[in-house]
Amino acid sequence: MNTSVAPAASLLKARADLLASLRAFLNQRGVLEVETPLLWPTAIPESYIELFVVQAGDRTAFLQPSPELFLKKLLAQGVGDLFQLSKVFRRGEAGRWHNPEFTLLEWYRVGWELEAFIAEVVELIRSVLGDASAFGSSRSDVPVDSFRYGDLFEEILDLPPQAPLDAFSEKVRALGVPEAEKLCRSRSDWLDFLFATFIQPKLPEGIVVVKDYPAELSALARLKSEEIAARFEVFVSRIELANGYHELNDSRLLRKRLEAAREEKRRRGEVVPPLDEEFLRLTDRLPDCCGVALGVDRLLALKLGRDSIREVMTFPWPLESSS
Amino acid sequence: MASVSTSQFKPGLKILLDGAPCVILENEFVKPGKGQAFNRVKYRNLLTGNVLERTFKSGETVELADVLEKEMEYLYTDGEFWFFMDPETFEQVQADQTATRDAAKWLKEGMVCTLVLWNGQPISVVPPNSVELKVVETTPGVKGDTATGGTKPAKLETGAVVKVPLFIEEGEVIKVDTRTGEYLGRAGS
C-alpha cells in the first residue's frame, strides 16, 4: 500500500498519546530522557543491519540504526538511568512490520538484575496495551508467558539450538522448506531462520518473553554460561517487539565480536563503518547495566489492532522506489 | 526476460521458478531484529495450478515470466487442440488438453474466453463466468411441475451435462455458471 495521505486524526492522536505515555512511564521511574546524534561518522557494526551512508563533504557518516553507541558512552560517563525515544534508520527493511526509518525507544537501568529489568519492560508494554480484550481474553491484564529459547527449540523442533547443522538441514527438508539450506550459512543464520519460520508463529497470544538466547545470537550481551547469553526478547501477538540484554562491558570481547561483524559486511561488499575507538575504550567503564530497544510503531499498531506499521505512520516509506 | 529482486515482489507479479511461470499471491518481508532478511512468498504455478510457498533471501533476483492474459474467440477443436483467434489481429493460437482442462465442455464457436499465454503459448483457458447453451438431450419436461424442485440431467450442445429443473425441455437455451456447473436460469433471464 502506497500512500502520501496522512492517517486519520484519531491515529495521529493515538501516536501522540503513546509517545507521551512512554515518556511519562520512564520519567516517573527516574529514567532521564536524552537526545544524541542521528548522524555520525561511526556506527556500531552489526552483521545484518545495513546502514544508510551520508556524504558530509569529504567525510562519510552514517544514519544511526540505534542510539546505543551514544547512550553507552553517556552511561560510562556516569549519567545513570537514561532513555532515548527517537527515529532510527536501517537500510533495506520495508514490509508490513518494517520501515527503513522507524521510532525506537531504548532505555538502560544501572545496577539492575536482568529479571527485574524484564519485569519493567513487560510492565511498560502492559501499561500501553491495557486490558486483555484485544487478545480475546476477559482478563483485566494482558497474559504474560515466559520461555527459555532452548526449551522452545526442543518442544517445537525436537532439536536443541546446539544441534549439528546437518540436523537443521534435515529438519527443514522434512518440513518442506529445503531452500533454507541456501539461505543459512552459520549457526546463527540457522537459529534465526528456524525461530522466525517455525517457532515464532506458534508462540501464544499476548506478551511472550523469550530468555536465555544462545551466545551466537547475542554479540552485545554478557554471557551467563559458555552457550547462553543474557539476552531476552519480548513478542506480542507473535510480533517481535523488544530486544534486551544484560550489557557486555568487556571491551576486548566486544572488539572481537564487532570486528567479526565488520568482516562479514566487508565480505558482502557492504559499506563498513569504522570502529568507534572511544566507544570501545568506554566499554570497560560501562557500569553493570541492562538495556532494551523497543519498536514504538509496532507497539502502536498492536495497540490499535492494525495489520501493519505502515497504517500507523504518517508517511510510510514509498514502496515503489528502492531504499 | 528481465529480472526482478525480492524488493519488487508483489501480488500479481509473474515470475519464473524452476522453469515454470508462476504468479505471486502473497509476499511477506521477514527479518528478525538481528538476523538476515528473507521473503516468504506464496505463489501459484500457472502450469499445474498448484499453490506453493517458497522462502527467498532478501535481495535475491528471479526472472520475470512472459505471461499475459488475452481475450480470444474460440474457433473449433480437432479433438487434440482447441483453436482460438485474437479478434483484432486475427492471429490464431492452439491450446492443448492441459491448458483447456475443464473449459472444453463449455466452448461454443464464437465464445470469447480469457487465455493465459506464456511466451505466446496458451497455458490456461478461462471461459466466461456464465454461458448460454442449448439443451440437446434430456427427459421430457413435466409441465407445471415448478413446485417440486427436483432436478434431472441435461446434455448441452457442447457436451457438458448439468442438472436442470424438471420443467426444462430439449431445445431450450439455458444459462450455466461455468465455475460451478450450476443451472442459473433460462437464457435471457
Side-chain angles (χ1 to χ4, degrees):
Chain A
M1 176 212 359
N2 237 6
T3 175
S4 60
V5 177
S10 59
L11 279 175
L12 296 177
K13 179 85 171 63
R15 179 176 279 262
D17 288 346
L18 175 61
L19 297 178
S21 66
L22 292 173
R23 291 195 152 96
F25 182 96
L26 293 170
N27 282 336
Q28 279 155 25
R29 285 164 178 73
V31 186
L32 178 71
E33 178 167 8
V34 297
E35 278 198 302
T36 63
L38 298 187
L39 180 69
W40 196 252
T42 69
I44 297 180
E46 293 200 59
S47 188
Y48 289 117
I49 294 186
E50 286 177 55
L51 302 169
F52 280 103
V53 183
V54 176
Q55 285 308 127
D58 55 358
R59 297 182 79 176
T60 300
F62 307 91
L63 287 176
Q64 299 295 299
S66 99
E68 180 161 11
L69 179 67
F70 302 102
L71 298 187
K72 284 184 167 169
K73 290 189 185 185
L74 290 175
L75 285 164
Q77 289 164 35
V79 170
D81 298 347
L82 44 64
F83 77 91
Q84 177 159 323
L85 175 58
S86 67
K87 296 300 195 80
V88 294
F89 302 84
R90 301 184 184 189
R91 204 162 73 87
E93 302 187 10
R96 270 175 58 187
W97 301 103
H98 294 84
N99 201 66
E101 175 182 354
F102 65 98
T103 304
L104 197 72
L105 169 63
E106 188 159 323
W107 82 96
Y108 294 82
R109 288 293 211 164
V110 177
W112 280 40
E113 289 299 324
L114 190 61
E115 285 302 321
F117 187 64
I118 292 175
E120 181 170 75
V121 176
V122 169
E123 210 189 318
L124 176 142
I125 295 172
R126 257 205 180 136
S127 73
V128 169
L129 295 179
D131 69 63
S133 56
F135 303 93
S137 166
S138 57
R139 290 176 52 161
S140 60
D141 56 336
V142 185
V144 183
D145 280 298
S146 184
F147 302 99
R148 297 183 60 244
Y149 191 96
D151 293 342
L152 288 171
F153 257 72
E154 294 280 8
E155 187 173 323
I156 293 173
L157 294 172
D158 251 323
L159 289 169
Q162 304 80 19
L165 302 190
D166 281 342
F168 293 149
S169 289
E170 222 182 284
K171 178 63 69 170
V172 293
R173 268 182 261 132
L175 292 174
V177 195
E179 60 269 27
E181 294 186 84
K182 279 188 323 181
L183 267 58
C184 303
R185 295 268 159 84
S186 59
R187 177 173 299 277
S188 53
D189 284 348
W190 274 109
L191 295 177
D192 278 330
F193 180 86
L194 292 168
F195 192 94
T197 307
F198 301 111
I199 296 178
Q200 199 170 331
K202 292 211 167 93
L203 294 176
E205 269 291 327
I207 300 176
V208 173
V209 175
V210 179
K211 323 189 264 209
D212 290 354
Y213 272 64
E216 282 93 345
L217 296 180
S218 319
L220 295 146
R222 58 171 66 173
L223 292 175
K224 280 171 86 167
S225 70
E226 205 179 296
E227 290 176 340
I228 309 248
R231 176 185 174 195
F232 70 94
E233 289 216 284
V234 184
F235 296 81
V236 176
S237 296
R238 297 171 272 276
I239 307 290
E240 189 183 359
L241 189 65
N243 181 17
Y245 311 107
H246 196 144
E247 305 289 344
L248 180 66
N249 49 10
D250 175 337
S251 69
R252 267 185 20 226
L253 196 47
L254 185 59
R255 179 185 294 274
K256 264 177 59 187
R257 293 182 185 172
L258 296 185
E259 280 295 9
R262 293 180 80 232
E263 183 49 42
E264 279 185 52
K265 296 174 91 69
R266 191 175 291 126
R267 215 177 20 90
R268 265 182 248 125
E270 288 167 28
V271 177
V272 184
L275 267 188
D276 192 308
E277 291 295 337
E278 184 190 44
F279 173 69
L280 281 168
R281 218 178 347 100
L282 287 174
T283 296
D284 287 324
R285 283 171 43 196
L286 191 67
D288 186 22
C289 65
C290 293
V292 69
L294 181 148
V296 175
D297 311 274
R298 290 182 182 181
L299 182 57
L300 183 59
L302 286 163
K303 182 180 174 64
L304 301 178
R306 296 307 178 109
D307 259 332
S308 167
I309 57 170
R310 298 179 66 81
E311 296 183 38
V312 301
M313 299 182 112
T314 47
F315 299 93
W317 182 257
L319 287 176
E320 243 69 305
S321 27
S322 53
S323 55
Chain B
M1 259 216 114
S3 296
V4 280
S5 96
T6 56
S7 60
Q8 294 158 289
F9 279 9
K10 56 184 175 179
L13 192 71
K14 318 273 195 321
I15 57 177
L16 221 54
L17 291 179
D18 298 331
C22 302
V23 62
I24 293 180
L25 299 173
E26 280 167 35
N27 169 46
E28 178 112 33
F29 176 83
V30 180
K31 187 188 180 301
K34 304 286 184 184
Q36 64 178 324
F38 46 93
N39 286 66
R40 226 178 262 150
V41 177
K42 198 179 216 174
Y43 64 95
R44 182 184 299 120
N45 179 319
L46 292 173
L47 294 180
T48 63
N50 291 335
V51 172
L52 303 156
E53 270 190 38
R54 187 180 294 196
T55 303
F56 294 83
K57 191 188 191 85
S58 194
E60 206 180 316
T61 56
V62 299
E63 233 187 290
L64 284 174
D66 178 11
V67 173
L68 43 93
E69 291 180 6
K70 224 181 198 177
E71 303 270 278
M72 297 186 91
E73 220 177 272
Y74 174 63
L75 297 174
Y76 64 95
T77 179
D78 62 3
E80 202 188 330
F81 293 105
W82 285 257
F83 296 82
F84 292 82
M85 180 183 80
D86 182 330
E88 277 168 37
T89 67
F90 302 109
E91 176 203 334
Q92 280 189 32
V93 295
Q94 60 195 45
D96 64 13
Q97 211 156 58
T98 316
T100 319
R101 242 169 269 153
D102 297 328
K105 64 185 184 214
W106 307 116
L107 298 178
K108 182 175 153 176
E109 189 192 326
M111 195 175 275
V112 175
C113 301
T114 303
L115 262 68
V116 180
L117 302 167
W118 175 39
N119 292 329
Q121 292 306 305
I123 54 171
S124 178
V125 174
V126 185
N129 287 344
S130 67
V131 291
E132 295 189 349
L133 297 170
K134 191 194 292 198
V135 175
V136 297
E137 207 182 294
T138 190
T139 55
V142 181
K143 289 248 182 306
D145 190 359
T146 50
T148 46
T151 61
K152 58 180 180 179
K155 187 164 171 189
L156 306 179
E157 59 184 297
T158 56
V161 178
V162 301
K163 290 214 187 83
V164 300
L166 300 175
F167 54 81
I168 294 293
E169 305 263 25
E170 270 178 26
E172 284 199 66
V173 180
I174 60 166
K175 200 160 152 194
V176 184
D177 184 326
T178 58
R179 296 159 303 181
T180 61
E182 273 172 20
Y183 166 86
L184 290 174
R186 285 178 159 131
S189 59

